[in-house]
Amino acid sequence: AQKITQTQPGMFVQEKEAVTLDCTYDTSDPSYGLFWYKQPSSGEMIFLIYQGSYDQQNATEGRYSLNFQKARKSANLVISASQLGDSAMYFCAMREGTSYDKVIFGPGTSLSVIP
Amino acid sequence: KAGVTQTPRYLIKTRGQQVTLSCSPISGHRSVSWYQQTPGQGLQFLFEYFSETQRNKGNFPGRFSGRQFSNSRSEMNVSTLELGDSALYLCAIRTVGAGGRETQYFGPGTRLLVL
């Protein structure tokens, strides 16, 4: 069964606009962590943001924020004020508490920022 | 900032050959994870090592193996290469900061092409 779902294969956003990338996850482990990564065409995986399952507040890192809705098992990434350099693949991922360092990735969303 | 180095960056092999990839986490970091990224299967977890012991393994055939040395450097080996092994191989380390904030840092990857 797919543990991480990203339903938007590709998205376009106008420069300086905000964009939301969707992610839903499935786990029965009460302790887990959720990650978002950016992968430009160079192939480098860049960590963006982390949300723990017990965190009460939504995580924020600069222009990135994570809209965590635990009951809905949703962890959407919000990028504010999009920049041309934000064009890349974005991956949602999860680490279950019982899995040590193993992280499960979603299929990714390709984001293109239009000038 | 944590760092992970991987060598070589690019590799071309032919079917039936074997290959060894190397990953070096920052000094003192005891765990290393490996991932395979292909266009068809996405990012998949290969295995994880902690203090020279494999403590987690993904769903890959026995041709894929790894090890970790006492200085935390890790190698992965693929024997009897197949065309489908062409992929980006990524190595990662997980860190836990203040308040349990997790980060997973990836190396630049090794791009393997099997002809």
Side-chain angles (χ1 to χ4, degrees):
Chain A
Q2 196 70 271
K3 289 211 169 189
I4 302 287
T5 303
Q6 295 180 254
T7 57
Q8 308 151 312
M11 287 194 70
F12 292 88
V13 63
Q14 204 77 35
E15 193 178 6
K16 301 180 184 176
E17 296 289 311
V19 63
T20 298
L21 307 184
D22 295 341
C23 172
T24 56
Y25 59 93
D26 182 31
T27 182
S28 57
D29 193 330
S31 175
Y32 54 89
L34 298 159
F35 302 80
W36 275 92
Y37 295 90
K38 171 185 177 181
Q39 188 177 44
S41 56
S42 63
E44 179 186 9
M45 287 289 286
I46 302 168
F47 165 81
L48 294 178
I49 198 166
Y50 168 81
Q51 179 85 41
S53 59
Y54 296 117
D55 293 343
Q56 296 296 312
Q57 293 187 318
N58 287 342
T60 60
E61 294 278 356
R63 294 187 299 113
Y64 305 106
S65 60
L66 199 152
N67 184 359
F68 181 46
Q69 298 187 42
K70 194 170 182 177
R72 297 179 60 185
K73 293 188 175 179
S74 167
N76 298 340
L77 176 71
V78 181
I79 306 174
S80 64
S82 298
Q83 302 171 357
L84 296 179
D86 294 335
S87 294
M89 281 292 292
Y90 288 81
F91 293 95
C92 178
M94 175 177 66
R95 187 189 73 80
E96 293 171 307
T98 54
S99 298
Y100 299 113
D101 288 5
K102 174 183 176 180
V103 171
I104 303 164
F105 286 83
T109 294
S110 175
L111 177 67
S112 296
V113 180
I114 305 165
Chain B
K1 182 179 177 179
V4 182
T5 58
Q6 290 187 249
T7 56
R9 295 293 309 278
Y10 303 92
L11 207 48
I12 300 175
K13 292 285 188 179
T14 56
R15 279 181 298 173
Q17 287 187 310
Q18 75 164 17
V19 67
T20 299
L21 312 182
S22 180
C23 169
S24 293
I26 56 168
S27 177
H29 200 88
R30 294 190 293 169
S31 67
V32 169
S33 300
W34 288 89
Y35 295 83
Q36 180 198 63
Q37 186 177 24
T38 60
Q41 299 298 317
L43 277 148
Q44 294 185 283
F45 172 79
L46 278 158
F47 30 64
E48 174 197 341
Y49 286 85
F50 179 83
S51 292
E52 303 177 61
T53 301
Q54 186 183 89
R55 67 176 180 181
N56 220 337
K57 190 178 190 305
N59 188 25
F60 278 81
R63 300 185 298 105
F64 291 81
S65 63
R67 60 178 175 168
Q68 186 180 30
F69 302 94
S70 58
N71 63 357
S72 295
R73 187 176 72 87
S74 177
E75 288 181 347
M76 68 162 281
N77 184 277
V78 187
S79 62
T80 319
L81 284 166
E82 301 177 359
L83 296 179
D85 297 334
S86 294
L88 177 64
Y89 290 88
L90 293 160
C91 173
I93 61 171
R94 182 173 70 95
T95 64
V96 182
R101 180 184 175 276
E102 296 185 21
T103 308
Q104 194 175 41
Y105 293 103
F106 282 84
T110 295
R111 287 191 184 274
L112 172 65
L113 176 62
V114 182
L115 301 175

